[in-house]
mmCIF file of all heavy atoms in Angstrom:
data_model
loop_
_atom_site.group_PDB
_atom_site.id
_atom_site.type_symbol
_atom_site.label_atom_id
_atom_site.label_comp_id
_atom_site.label_asym_id
_atom_site.label_seq_id
_atom_site.Cartn_x
_atom_site.Cartn_y
_atom_site.Cartn_z
ATOM 1 N N ASP A 63 43.731 -32.666 242.883
ATOM 2 C CA ASP A 63 42.416 -32.529 243.519
ATOM 3 C C ASP A 63 41.645 -31.406 242.804
ATOM 4 O O ASP A 63 41.061 -30.528 243.436
ATOM 5 C CB ASP A 63 42.617 -32.222 245.016
ATOM 6 C CG ASP A 63 41.305 -32.207 245.800
ATOM 7 O OD1 ASP A 63 40.286 -32.701 245.282
ATOM 8 O OD2 ASP A 63 41.311 -31.673 246.932
ATOM 9 N N TYR A 66 42.270 -27.745 243.864
ATOM 10 C CA TYR A 66 42.432 -27.515 245.301
ATOM 11 C C TYR A 66 43.862 -27.848 245.743
ATOM 12 O O TYR A 66 44.151 -27.987 246.926
ATOM 13 C CB TYR A 66 41.375 -28.277 246.116
ATOM 14 C CG TYR A 66 40.029 -27.562 246.061
ATOM 15 C CD1 TYR A 66 39.098 -27.862 245.075
ATOM 16 C CD2 TYR A 66 39.736 -26.535 246.952
ATOM 17 C CE1 TYR A 66 37.880 -27.179 244.998
ATOM 18 C CE2 TYR A 66 38.529 -25.845 246.881
ATOM 19 C CZ TYR A 66 37.610 -26.170 245.903
ATOM 20 O OH TYR A 66 36.423 -25.481 245.830
ATOM 21 N N VAL A 103 42.731 -21.346 248.901
ATOM 22 C CA VAL A 103 43.122 -22.666 249.418
ATOM 23 C C VAL A 103 44.505 -22.539 250.032
ATOM 24 O O VAL A 103 45.527 -22.666 249.346
ATOM 25 C CB VAL A 103 43.130 -23.712 248.285
ATOM 26 C CG1 VAL A 103 43.319 -25.119 248.849
ATOM 27 C CG2 VAL A 103 41.840 -23.634 247.474
ATOM 28 N N HIS A 106 46.925 -25.777 252.565
ATOM 29 C CA HIS A 106 47.978 -26.542 251.910
ATOM 30 C C HIS A 106 48.240 -25.933 250.534
ATOM 31 O O HIS A 106 47.448 -25.137 250.037
ATOM 32 C CB HIS A 106 47.543 -28.003 251.741
ATOM 33 C CG HIS A 106 46.105 -28.138 251.279
ATOM 34 N ND1 HIS A 106 45.062 -28.313 252.153
ATOM 35 C CD2 HIS A 106 45.544 -28.085 250.041
ATOM 36 C CE1 HIS A 106 43.918 -28.387 251.480
ATOM 37 N NE2 HIS A 106 44.174 -28.244 250.194
ATOM 38 N N PHE A 150 41.740 -38.183 252.689
ATOM 39 C CA PHE A 150 41.620 -39.023 251.491
ATOM 40 C C PHE A 150 42.157 -40.430 251.765
ATOM 41 O O PHE A 150 42.722 -41.061 250.879
ATOM 42 C CB PHE A 150 42.378 -38.391 250.307
ATOM 43 C CG PHE A 150 41.766 -37.115 249.791
ATOM 44 C CD1 PHE A 150 42.539 -36.207 249.080
ATOM 45 C CD2 PHE A 150 40.421 -36.821 249.984
ATOM 46 C CE1 PHE A 150 41.992 -35.026 248.570
ATOM 47 C CE2 PHE A 150 39.860 -35.646 249.490
ATOM 48 C CZ PHE A 150 40.654 -34.752 248.779
ATOM 49 N N TYR A 169 45.263 -33.765 253.325
ATOM 50 C CA TYR A 169 44.570 -34.273 252.130
ATOM 51 C C TYR A 169 45.551 -35.167 251.366
ATOM 52 O O TYR A 169 46.274 -35.919 252.004
ATOM 53 C CB TYR A 169 43.971 -33.103 251.323
ATOM 54 C CG TYR A 169 42.785 -32.517 252.096
ATOM 55 C CD1 TYR A 169 42.973 -31.561 253.086
ATOM 56 C CD2 TYR A 169 41.504 -33.018 251.913
ATOM 57 C CE1 TYR A 169 41.902 -31.108 253.858
ATOM 58 C CE2 TYR A 169 40.435 -32.567 252.678
ATOM 59 C CZ TYR A 169 40.642 -31.615 253.644
ATOM 60 O OH TYR A 169 39.595 -31.187 254.401
ATOM 61 N N GLN A 173 49.326 -32.558 248.449
ATOM 62 C CA GLN A 173 48.795 -31.332 249.067
ATOM 63 C C GLN A 173 49.423 -31.114 250.454
ATOM 64 O O GLN A 173 48.755 -31.236 251.477
ATOM 65 C CB GLN A 173 47.271 -31.431 249.195
ATOM 66 C CG GLN A 173 46.534 -31.424 247.853
ATOM 67 C CD GLN A 173 45.068 -31.830 247.966
ATOM 68 O OE1 GLN A 173 44.780 -32.965 248.335
ATOM 69 N NE2 GLN A 173 44.150 -30.936 247.669
ATOM 70 N N ARG A 203 36.291 -17.544 249.733
ATOM 71 C CA ARG A 203 35.742 -18.711 250.415
ATOM 72 C C ARG A 203 36.988 -19.477 250.849
ATOM 73 O O ARG A 203 37.776 -19.944 250.016
ATOM 74 C CB ARG A 203 34.884 -19.521 249.444
ATOM 75 C CG ARG A 203 34.356 -20.845 249.989
ATOM 76 C CD ARG A 203 35.272 -21.990 249.619
ATOM 77 N NE ARG A 203 34.729 -23.296 249.972
ATOM 78 C CZ ARG A 203 35.438 -24.409 249.921
ATOM 79 N NH1 ARG A 203 36.693 -24.382 249.540
ATOM 80 N NH2 ARG A 203 34.897 -25.557 250.239
ATOM 81 N N ASP A 205 39.053 -22.298 252.048
ATOM 82 C CA ASP A 205 39.052 -23.759 252.064
ATOM 83 C C ASP A 205 39.611 -24.310 253.383
ATOM 84 O O ASP A 205 40.679 -23.881 253.833
ATOM 85 C CB ASP A 205 39.932 -24.213 250.889
ATOM 86 C CG ASP A 205 39.829 -25.680 250.583
ATOM 87 O OD1 ASP A 205 38.775 -26.099 250.085
ATOM 88 O OD2 ASP A 205 40.805 -26.412 250.840
ATOM 89 N N VAL A 206 38.906 -25.263 253.968
ATOM 90 C CA VAL A 206 39.297 -25.942 255.225
ATOM 91 C C VAL A 206 40.108 -25.060 256.184
ATOM 92 O O VAL A 206 41.076 -25.515 256.800
ATOM 93 C CB VAL A 206 40.026 -27.283 254.976
ATOM 94 C CG1 VAL A 206 39.088 -28.265 254.315
ATOM 95 C CG2 VAL A 206 41.281 -27.173 254.140
ATOM 96 N N GLU A 259 35.142 -22.283 254.935
ATOM 97 C CA GLU A 259 34.701 -23.672 254.945
ATOM 98 C C GLU A 259 35.211 -24.201 256.284
ATOM 99 O O GLU A 259 36.388 -24.532 256.431
ATOM 100 C CB GLU A 259 35.295 -24.473 253.792
ATOM 101 C CG GLU A 259 34.688 -25.889 253.786
ATOM 102 C CD GLU A 259 35.538 -26.930 253.077
ATOM 103 O OE1 GLU A 259 36.755 -26.722 252.952
ATOM 104 O OE2 GLU A 259 34.997 -27.938 252.657
ATOM 105 N N HIS A 329 30.333 -28.702 245.285
ATOM 106 C CA HIS A 329 31.106 -29.668 244.490
ATOM 107 C C HIS A 329 31.572 -30.886 245.282
ATOM 108 O O HIS A 329 32.186 -31.779 244.721
ATOM 109 C CB HIS A 329 32.314 -28.946 243.879
ATOM 110 C CG HIS A 329 33.265 -28.463 244.943
ATOM 111 N ND1 HIS A 329 32.930 -27.462 245.840
ATOM 112 C CD2 HIS A 329 34.496 -28.869 245.292
ATOM 113 C CE1 HIS A 329 33.934 -27.278 246.666
ATOM 114 N NE2 HIS A 329 34.891 -28.108 246.370
ATOM 115 N N ASP A 330 31.335 -30.891 246.595
ATOM 116 C CA ASP A 330 31.758 -32.025 247.431
ATOM 117 C C ASP A 330 30.584 -32.893 247.876
ATOM 118 O O ASP A 330 30.791 -33.881 248.580
ATOM 119 C CB ASP A 330 32.446 -31.518 248.712
ATOM 120 C CG ASP A 330 33.749 -30.804 248.437
ATOM 121 O OD1 ASP A 330 34.401 -31.112 247.427
ATOM 122 O OD2 ASP A 330 34.119 -29.930 249.251
ATOM 123 N N ARG A 415 31.775 -37.464 245.389
ATOM 124 C CA ARG A 415 31.769 -36.064 244.976
ATOM 125 C C ARG A 415 31.576 -35.954 243.458
ATOM 126 O O ARG A 415 31.152 -34.918 242.953
ATOM 127 C CB ARG A 415 33.077 -35.387 245.401
ATOM 128 C CG ARG A 415 33.407 -35.616 246.878
ATOM 129 C CD ARG A 415 34.462 -34.675 247.392
ATOM 130 N NE ARG A 415 35.762 -34.850 246.773
ATOM 131 C CZ ARG A 415 36.847 -34.164 247.118
ATOM 132 N NH1 ARG A 415 36.779 -33.264 248.095
ATOM 133 N NH2 ARG A 415 37.994 -34.357 246.516
ATOM 134 N N ARG A 419 29.868 -33.267 240.050
ATOM 135 C CA ARG A 419 30.860 -32.705 239.133
ATOM 136 C C ARG A 419 30.610 -33.037 237.669
ATOM 137 O O ARG A 419 31.429 -32.730 236.803
ATOM 138 C CB ARG A 419 32.258 -33.152 239.567
ATOM 139 C CG ARG A 419 32.554 -32.693 240.990
ATOM 140 C CD ARG A 419 33.904 -33.118 241.494
ATOM 141 N NE ARG A 419 34.115 -32.615 242.858
ATOM 142 C CZ ARG A 419 35.236 -32.730 243.534
ATOM 143 N NH1 ARG A 419 36.268 -33.332 242.988
ATOM 144 N NH2 ARG A 419 35.339 -32.240 244.761
HETATM 145 C C1 GLC B 601 37.655 -28.577 250.585
HETATM 146 C C2 GLC B 601 37.195 -28.584 249.156
HETATM 147 C C3 GLC B 601 37.436 -29.944 248.581
HETATM 148 C C4 GLC B 601 38.921 -30.246 248.644
HETATM 149 C C5 GLC B 601 39.474 -30.065 250.055
HETATM 150 C C6 GLC B 601 40.974 -29.999 250.060
HETATM 151 O O1 GLC B 601 36.921 -29.442 251.379
HETATM 152 O O2 GLC B 601 35.867 -28.162 249.076
HETATM 153 O O3 GLC B 601 36.962 -30.050 247.268
HETATM 154 O O4 GLC B 601 39.169 -31.554 248.229
HETATM 155 O O5 GLC B 601 39.018 -28.877 250.641
HETATM 156 O O6 GLC B 601 41.421 -28.792 249.521
#
Side-chain angles (χ1 to χ4, degrees):
D63 186 15
Y66 283 91
V103 189
H106 43 266
F150 292 158
Y169 289 85
Q173 292 167 296
R203 174 266 187 190
D205 192 70
V206 295
E259 185 203 23
H329 65 293
D330 294 332
R415 309 195 295 183
R419 301 179 179 185

